[in-house]
Amino acid sequence: MQKINSRRNFIKETGMAGIAAGVGLNVLPSVVFAKSVGILSDYTQQPLPYGYNALEPVVDALTMEIHYTKHAAAYAKNLAEACVAEKVDTTNTPLNGVLRNISKYSAKMRNNGGGHYNHELFWKCMKGGAVTKPTGTLATAIDQAFGSFDAFKTQFSEAGKNRFGSGWAWLVQTADHKLVIGSTPNQDNPLMDICELKGTPLLGLDVWEHAYYLKYQNKRVDYMNNWWNVVNWEFVASRFNP
Ligand code: MN
């Protein structure tokens, strides 16, 4: 008990110091912070599972680099700050647990907890190399739920296209194991208790302009159409619970 308490105090103090140091200086990246205090890994930005150019030509290397090192890194950093301010026990409470109760937290926690979770999932939902398709029980479930893989893609793309402003398109598995497609605004996601679309996100597509603007400018639909060529269906299938 003594050890746990002292570790928590250390986290609290170090976290507060991190915020203080970060004001105006933008120092202490969340990864360094987390490694120093033993935070659960789902609160921190993990190494990108491929190089910045791995998804070329679908996602250009500069977009990947800025997206990962600036946008996503900022969500992780701001999440760490919110966790300290709102006393989240990041050594024992998985991020999922915070998201499921997000109505009890601040807008900063909602935006950055969602932003961090969504991007960590998004990187894993993509891969370079050969184009793949769903297989096995996931392929069967997609066919049953949407009619065919092509019909699924059309419906998913519609969800992304019709999301006004910034947000995400999702393939979600509901609590009763159904597959559904939907979208969320900003950095909300289907784990959140405030979200109309509820369930476990299996596949997420970032339709914020920062995800595609350098290469596609206003052509979100072109980005979404090309994106199917980099979806990592093996990863998506690993999240599916038949
Ligand atoms: Mn993004």
Side-chain angles (χ1 to χ4, degrees), residues 123-202:
W123 311 137
K124 296 194 190 90
C125 283
M126 300 185 288
K127 67 168 209 34
V131 176
T132 60
K133 289 175 71 169
T135 54
T137 53
L138 177 60
T140 307
I142 285 175
D143 287 346
Q144 283 172 354
F146 309 108
S148 66
F149 181 50
D150 282 341
F152 156 77
K153 287 199 290 186
T154 301
Q155 197 176 324
F156 188 95
S157 296
E158 283 294 308
K161 190 173 80 178
N162 294 333
R163 170 49 56 191
F164 183 77
S166 298
W168 291 75
W170 301 102
L171 172 65
V172 170
Q173 186 167 26
T174 62
D176 56 354
H177 289 222
K178 290 200 172 73
L179 292 181
V180 293
I181 287 167
S183 73
T184 55
N186 305 314
Q187 294 295 353
D188 288 354
N189 76 47
L191 293 176
M192 293 180 171
D193 58 356
I194 44 84
C195 195
E196 201 176 316
L197 175 72
K198 273 203 183 56
T200 302
L202 304 183

Side-chain angles (χ1 to χ4, degrees), residues 75-173:
Y75 295 123
K77 177 176 176 288
N78 293 331
L79 171 62
E81 290 178 1
C83 285
V84 172
E86 296 172 51
K87 298 184 171 51
V88 172
D89 180 2
T90 51
T91 59
N92 292 301
T93 309
L95 179 58
N96 282 0
V98 174
L99 298 179
R100 290 184 208 282
N101 294 290
I102 202 70
S103 61
K104 299 189 175 77
Y105 295 91
S106 67
K108 179 170 180 173
M109 189 76 81
R110 175 175 170 176
N111 290 332
N112 294 286
H116 174 66
Y117 178 95
N118 294 347
H119 285 85
E120 288 292 309
L121 178 64
F122 184 52
W123 311 137
K124 296 194 190 90
C125 283
M126 300 185 288
K127 67 168 209 34
V131 176
T132 60
K133 289 175 71 169
T135 54
T137 53
L138 177 60
T140 307
I142 285 175
D143 287 346
Q144 283 172 354
F146 309 108
S148 66
F149 181 50
D150 282 341
F152 156 77
K153 287 199 290 186
T154 301
Q155 197 176 324
F156 188 95
S157 296
E158 283 294 308
K161 190 173 80 178
N162 294 333
R163 170 49 56 191
F164 183 77
S166 298
W168 291 75
W170 301 102
L171 172 65
V172 170
Q173 186 167 26

Side-chain angles (χ1 to χ4, degrees), residues 67 119 168 206 210:
H67 202 173
H119 285 85
W168 291 75
D206 189 344
H210 70 223

Side-chain angles (χ1 to χ4, degrees), residues 56 68 129 147 192:
E56 291 265 16
Y68 178 80
M192 293 180 171

Side-chain angles (χ1 to χ4, degrees), residues 22-90:
V23 174
L25 293 172
N26 195 27
V27 294
L28 203 67
S30 62
V31 171
V32 176
F33 165 66
K35 280 183 179 159
S36 69
V37 295
I39 270 177
L40 290 174
S41 63
D42 53 355
Y43 285 90
T44 62
Q45 200 174 25
Q46 300 302 300
L48 199 64
Y50 35 73
Y52 297 132
N53 64 353
L55 308 181
E56 291 265 16
V58 174
V59 183
D60 60 289
L62 184 58
T63 294
M64 262 323 288
E65 183 172 357
I66 294 172
H67 202 173
Y68 178 80
T69 65
K70 305 296 183 193
H71 295 279
Y75 295 123
K77 177 176 176 288
N78 293 331
L79 171 62
E81 290 178 1
C83 285
V84 172
E86 296 172 51
K87 298 184 171 51
V88 172
D89 180 2
T90 51

